């Protein structure tokens, strides 16, 4: 089922006003004002929150890679300022990431730190080239099981290496060596390092779980900062002798050197950083988009991420970071989610966090030098363990890709990131081919009916076995072919169709069903002119009117529902009965048989709280001859169901609007004429010469009826604002109003661009096919 939330479309945005002066050639990045530079208070506070998280993590990741600790600060500052300024995801935070830790550590071990910086620069140029080719979305084609397995493998490798520092020792060169050296390390424990590390881990895990008001207050301080600060305080007060952060003078900071070594090895290194960094950044950008869309901030519109621009921004940041002696950079999901949660509304928060890193690196060196390395190692170890995400595991298991995930994880740990990803891709391809070719076909007889069961996908490879099973069905027999698969290629279709034709000609019967036994309809080509694809609407006749001689036409439709549709929706309806209705929007529309709300909004049971009446009217509170049914429905939906939005939907050819135009109901005595008096304000609004006419997709209405239909939608939105419960929720910023017009003849929906504003400039914009539904899927 789908949950009802308004679809935000670019076409529905208000028409841009002409600027007072010529705009510069370089348009501002998304999320910034085109007229002046202004920093919102939420951006300032969000930047401080992200800075407090990024500072200890940057030092910890630098420690884990074996790079100079200053390199982590350089990467964090460049990621914030450069990637924040030029990237395509306004709220994404970039910097040194755990996902590149293993790769960077391996490069430093083989080539040295200065050559690793040069490799980062080359990887940045490679990302710029990929961005120029506009292939960013191709990275999203990698199986999630491979991505999650890669990140989990990197996390395991990080945790194994940092565990040695936590125990007071030194990590080995590889994950396998770290496992082998672990028994010896456990035999030589260092109590001081263990105590500091234990406190760090304890605070990290317990900090988000502090209950009550105290928890709400202390959680304003990031757990990473609290853990490192607590461990540093313990080490200082107890006088523990431990290796600590040692930031050398910036005058001796190491810069990149010309790459030296085997050319193929250097190319592989550049490709590895490019691949891992790009995929992690793009996946993080997509995740930030989802977090931003789920966050409800009134009067704030954050543009969706431009993935090609984001890839280019990451490339520029890697070039600058490598040139300044910093770690490779990628988008970081943890810091980005913290940025969104803290209320950031533009890229200014990301850039400011980079500025705070610069100031800390210049002014807080004495404080940073007090941090024990064991505390940073414990911090990074926990981050590594958390990269083995339980939610990802459940998703992978649900989609039957545990083999791909496990092989990728083990391969990354045992061989390296690039080799592990290649092995994972190979296994994913093999699994896909196995599923495509694994088809089980059986034939049996039950109660005089021959059943041919097909389990799996039907491709040309299965046609010989399919033909053999169909050949075992005697001529003239009743046969049911049960298909359990989501794909059938042309060869399999032809084999089934030819056999069906032959079997029917010999006097037999054939019925195709799914695994649950639900009958599969005939192909659409055999029912020309039928209004599909909403198949459950089975009894509709597009060309001919329904047979009036049928004794119970509605009962026939109910019978069809019970036979064909009820088995498909029974579980969902049972869930809705148990949990109660929880729609997220009211859909107020006309009582017209041609306006099928479930069809034009792609919604299902439980999605919309629908209110219908003649003319989609909303009587004003206290209006003469008012009808409390509409007000009662609004009050229930707004105050009890707590819906998020109300949509008023008018439509073309509305009979109520035609009646208003032909004979305004003055002194009306019939129920219909009395009801239509609530539409008189719409008629007066349309005839008011001081108000501009509504426009629809850049054109004026076709006639007076269409003009009144459009004006009526705008007027009813004003009536909605006059209701106390609606006005209160709008003032709280928890309710949104939306105007909609459905042109029946065109099967085209239009959204009112400025529904939430009191304005006479009513512009209805066409809803593009890519976002034509008013609802979106619910997990």
């Amino acid at each position: 089922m789908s949950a009802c939330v308004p679809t935000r479309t670019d076409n529905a945005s208000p028409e841009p006003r002409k600027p007072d002066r010529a705009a510069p050639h370089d348009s501002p990045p998304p999320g910034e004002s085109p007229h002046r530079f202004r920093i919102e208070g939420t951006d300032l506070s969000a930047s401080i929150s992200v800075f407090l998280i990024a500072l200890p993590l940057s030092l910890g990741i630098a420690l884990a890679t074996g790079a100079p600790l200053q390199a982590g600060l350089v990467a964090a500052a460049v990621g914030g300022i450069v990637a924040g300024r030029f990237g395509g995801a306004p709220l994404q935070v970039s910097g040194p990431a755990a996902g590149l830790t293993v790769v960077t550590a391996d490069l430093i071990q083989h080539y040295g730190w200065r050559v690793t910086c040069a490799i980062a620069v080359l990887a940045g140029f490679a990302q710029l080239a990929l961005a120029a080719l506009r292939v960013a979305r191709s990275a999203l084609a990698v199986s999630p099981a491979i991505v999650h397995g890669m990140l989990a493998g990197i996390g395991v490798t990080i945790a194994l290496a940092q565990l040695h520092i936590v125990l007071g020792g030194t990590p080995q060169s590889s994950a396998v060596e770290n496992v082998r050296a672990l028994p010896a390390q456990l035999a030589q424990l260092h109590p001081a390092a263990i105590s500091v590390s234990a406190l760090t881990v304890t605070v990290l895990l317990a900090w988000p779980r502090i209950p009550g008001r105290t928890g709400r207050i202390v959680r304003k301080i990031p757990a990473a900062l609290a853990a490192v600060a607590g461990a540093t305080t313990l080490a200082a007060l107890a006088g523990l002798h431990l290796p600590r952060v040692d930031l050398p003078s910036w005058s001796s900071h190491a810069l990149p050197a010309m790459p030296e070594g085997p050319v193929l090895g250097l190319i592989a290194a550049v490709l590895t950083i490019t691949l891992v960094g790009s995929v992690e950044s793009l996946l993080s950008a997509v995740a930030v988009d989802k977090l931003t869309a789920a966050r409800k901030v009134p009067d704030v519109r954050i543009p969706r991420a431009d993935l090609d621009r984001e890839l280019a921004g990451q490339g520029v940041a890697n070039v600058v970071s490598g040139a300044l002696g910093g770690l490779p950079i990628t988008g970081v999901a943890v810091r980005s989610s913290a940025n969104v949660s803290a209320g950031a509304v533009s890229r200014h928060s990301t850039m400011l966090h980079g500025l705070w890193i610069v100031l800390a690196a210049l002014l807080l060196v004495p404080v940073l030098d007090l941090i024990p390395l064991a505390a940073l190692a414990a911090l990074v170890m926990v981050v590594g363990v958390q990269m083995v995400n339980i939610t990802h595991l459940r998703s992978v298991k649900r989609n039957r890709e545990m083999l791909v995930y496990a092989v990728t994880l083990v391969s990354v740990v045992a061989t390296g990131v690039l080799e592990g990803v290649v092995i994972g891709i190979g296994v994913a391809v093999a699994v896909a081919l196995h599923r495509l070719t694994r088809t089980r076909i059986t034939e049996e007889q039950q109660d005089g009916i021959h059943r041919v069961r097909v389990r799996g996908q039907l491709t040309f490879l299965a046609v010989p076995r399919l033909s053999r099973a169909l050949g075992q069905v005697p001529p003239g027999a009743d046969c049911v072919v049960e298909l359990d698969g989501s794909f059938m290629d042309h060869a399999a279709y032809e084999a089934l169709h030819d056999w069906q034709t032959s079997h029917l000609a010999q006097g037999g019967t054939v019925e195709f069903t799914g695994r649950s036994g639900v009958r599969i309809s005939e192909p659409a080509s055999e029912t020309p002119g039928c209004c599909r694809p909403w198949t459950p609407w089975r009894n509709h006749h597009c060309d001919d009117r329904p047979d009036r001689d049928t004794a119970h036409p509605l009962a026939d439709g109910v019978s069809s529902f019970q036979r064909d549709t009820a088995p498909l929706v029974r579980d969902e309806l049972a869930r809705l009965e148990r949990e109660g209705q929880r729609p997220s929007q009211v859909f107020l529309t006309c009582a017209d048989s041609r306006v099928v709300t479930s069809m034009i909004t792609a919604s299902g049971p439980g999605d919309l709280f629908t209110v219908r009446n003649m003319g989609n009217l909303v009587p004003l509170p206290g209006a003469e001859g008012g009808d409390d049914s509409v007000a009662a429905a609004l009050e229930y939906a707004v105050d009890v169901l707590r819906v998020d939005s109300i949509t008023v939907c008018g439509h073309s050819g509305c009979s109520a609007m035609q009646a208003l135009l032909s004979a305004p109901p003055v002194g009306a005595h019939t129920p219909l004429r009395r009801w239509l008096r609530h539409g008189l304000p719409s008629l007066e609004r349309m005839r008011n010469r001081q108000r501009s006419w509504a426009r629809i997709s850049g054109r004026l209405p076709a006639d007076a009826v269409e003009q009144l239909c459009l004006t009526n939608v705008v007027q009813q939105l004003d009536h909605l604002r006059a209701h106390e419960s609606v006005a209160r929720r709008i003032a709280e910023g928890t309710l949104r109003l939306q105007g909609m017009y459905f042109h029946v003849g065109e099967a085209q929906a239009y959204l009112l661009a400025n529904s939430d504003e009191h304005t006479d400039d009513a512009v209805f914009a066409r809803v593009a096919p890519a976002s034509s539904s008013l609802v979106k899927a619910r997990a």
Side-chain angles (χ1 to χ4, degrees), residues 11 31 59 92 122 145 160 217 221 225 286 341 450 477 511 572 600 715 732 735 768:
N11 292 335
L59 293 172
Q92 171 149 286
L122 295 176
L160 289 173
I217 295 174
I221 303 174
L225 179 65
V286 173
S341 301
H450 291 264
E511 181 179 351
E572 179 64 16
I600 65 176
Q715 184 66 37
E732 295 171 355
L735 183 66

Side-chain angles (χ1 to χ4, degrees), residues 527-547 553 556-557 560 593-596 599:
T527 55
C530 188
C531 294
R532 304 238 172 171
W534 62 97
T535 311
W537 200 16
R538 299 285 179 92
N539 289 335
H540 177 66
H541 298 266
C542 291
D543 299 323
D544 303 314
R545 298 185 64 82
D547 186 2
D556 291 343
S560 177
S593 62
R594 299 165 296 178
V595 180
V596 185
M599 179 181 70

Side-chain angles (χ1 to χ4, degrees), residues 546-638:
D547 186 2
R548 299 291 183 179
D549 297 331
T550 304
H552 299 287
L554 189 60
D556 291 343
V558 173
S559 176
S560 177
F561 165 80
Q562 294 297 145
R563 181 184 67 250
D564 300 327
T565 308
L568 303 177
V569 300
R570 184 171 291 115
D571 291 342
E572 179 64 16
L573 290 177
R575 183 189 67 80
L576 290 172
E577 185 179 34
R578 291 193 307 270
E579 300 177 0
Q581 60 173 332
R582 292 183 296 177
S584 62
Q585 76 169 284
V586 173
F587 195 80
L588 195 153
T589 190
C590 186
D592 189 290
S593 62
R594 299 165 296 178
V595 180
V596 185
T597 57
S598 60
M599 179 181 70
I600 65 176
T601 61
S603 59
D607 290 342
L608 299 179
F609 187 84
T610 305
V611 180
R612 306 188 71 148
N613 61 57
M614 288 294 294
N616 45 274
L617 301 177
V618 181
L620 285 167
E624 181 183 356
D627 185 342
D628 286 340
S629 65
V630 176
L634 291 173
E635 180 182 347
Y636 179 73
V638 172

Side-chain angles (χ1 to χ4, degrees), residues 210-220:
I210 299 176
R213 182 180 179 184
T214 303
R216 291 194 297 271
I217 295 174
V218 301
R219 278 195 292 272
K220 294 180 180 179

Side-chain angles (χ1 to χ4, degrees), residues 138-150 279 283 396 399-402 404-405 408 421 424-425 427-429 431-432 435:
S138 300
L140 304 181
V142 180
S143 169
I146 297 174
V147 176
H148 299 327
M150 177 191 74
V279 171
L283 291 176
V396 169
N399 290 282
R400 299 184 301 164
E401 291 188 325
M402 279 300 297
V404 178
Y405 177 90
T408 304
V421 169
I425 291 174
V427 173
V429 172
V431 169
R435 289 176 178 173

Side-chain angles (χ1 to χ4, degrees), residues 447-539:
D447 301 327
I449 298 177
H450 291 264
R451 294 184 177 273
V452 177
R453 291 188 172 90
V454 180
R455 299 287 183 266
Q457 316 308 320
L458 266 179
T459 67
F460 65 94
L461 298 173
V463 167
R465 285 178 289 150
L466 176 64
S467 300
R468 189 182 307 116
L470 294 175
Q472 296 175 7
V473 179
D478 297 332
C479 181
V480 175
V481 180
E482 187 178 299
L483 303 175
D484 175 29
S486 58
F487 175 76
M488 178 191 302
D489 70 1
H490 186 70
Y493 174 82
E494 287 290 343
L496 276 174
H497 185 269
D498 292 345
W499 173 83
Q500 178 190 24
T501 303
S502 174
H503 192 71
L504 293 175
Q506 295 173 354
T509 64
V510 180
E511 181 179 351
F512 293 97
T513 72
R515 187 169 188 173
S516 62
V518 179
R519 187 175 183 273
I520 298 176
S521 301
E522 294 298 321
S525 60
E526 298 182 17
T527 55
C530 188
C531 294
R532 304 238 172 171
W534 62 97
T535 311
W537 200 16
R538 299 285 179 92
N539 289 335

Side-chain angles (χ1 to χ4, degrees), residues 365-384:
V365 173
V367 177
L368 298 179
D369 284 346
L370 297 175
I371 301 175
L373 295 182
L376 295 179
L379 172 64
V380 178
M381 182 184 72
V382 172
V383 172

Side-chain angles (χ1 to χ4, degrees), residues 734-752:
T734 58
L735 183 66
R736 180 175 179 231
L737 303 185
Q738 177 69 65
M740 179 176 172
Y741 176 74
F742 182 69
H743 196 293
V744 178
E746 297 176 356
Q748 175 64 56
Y750 300 85
L751 293 181
L752 180 61

